[in-house]
Amino acid sequence: MRNLLVTIAFDGRAYHGWQIQSNAVSVQEVFQRALAGVTGEPVDIKGCSRTDTGVHARMFCISVKTGHSIPCESLVPALYRFLPKDIAVL
């Protein structure tokens, strides 16, 4: 199991904060779905903090635990296949 640090930026207008919620779309939900699309496995991620609805981030750090062997330099372009334009991987 590897523990990767991924830094993202996002425009929060379309999201109800970072943390997954049952009643609204969150950045964490969208990012986890993209990561699962790349790895083909459920992924455990932890954000550096939480944000409120509509909040943007220029540098938001995420801890990603995965058993997938994708090289780090291949992870970013692979994620872009699944992420919307308002979430960027730095």
Side-chain angles (χ1 to χ4, degrees):
M1 182 76 55
R2 299 186 304 162
N3 190 11
L4 307 175
L5 172 66
V6 179
T7 305
I8 66 171
F10 56 85
D11 178 331
R13 287 181 281 194
Y15 306 103
H16 290 260
W18 162 257
Q19 191 171 8
I20 291 177
Q21 301 176 41
S22 61
N23 63 340
V25 178
S26 69
V27 178
Q28 181 182 14
E29 174 186 350
V30 171
F31 192 83
Q32 270 187 193
R33 198 174 324 126
L35 201 50
V38 171
T39 64
E41 65 185 18
V43 186
D44 178 30
I45 69 172
K46 305 287 187 235
C48 63
S49 66
R50 298 188 323 189
T51 61
D52 289 330
T53 299
V55 170
H56 314 309
R58 288 188 213 167
M59 181 179 267
F60 192 92
C61 296
I62 303 166
S63 171
V64 176
K65 289 193 177 178
T66 180
H68 198 279
S69 61
I70 187 168
C72 292
E73 61 273 5
S74 300
L75 181 60
V76 174
L79 281 168
Y80 277 123
R81 291 183 47 223
F82 297 95
L83 286 172
K85 294 183 188 274
D86 54 6
I87 300 176
V89 181
L90 306 175

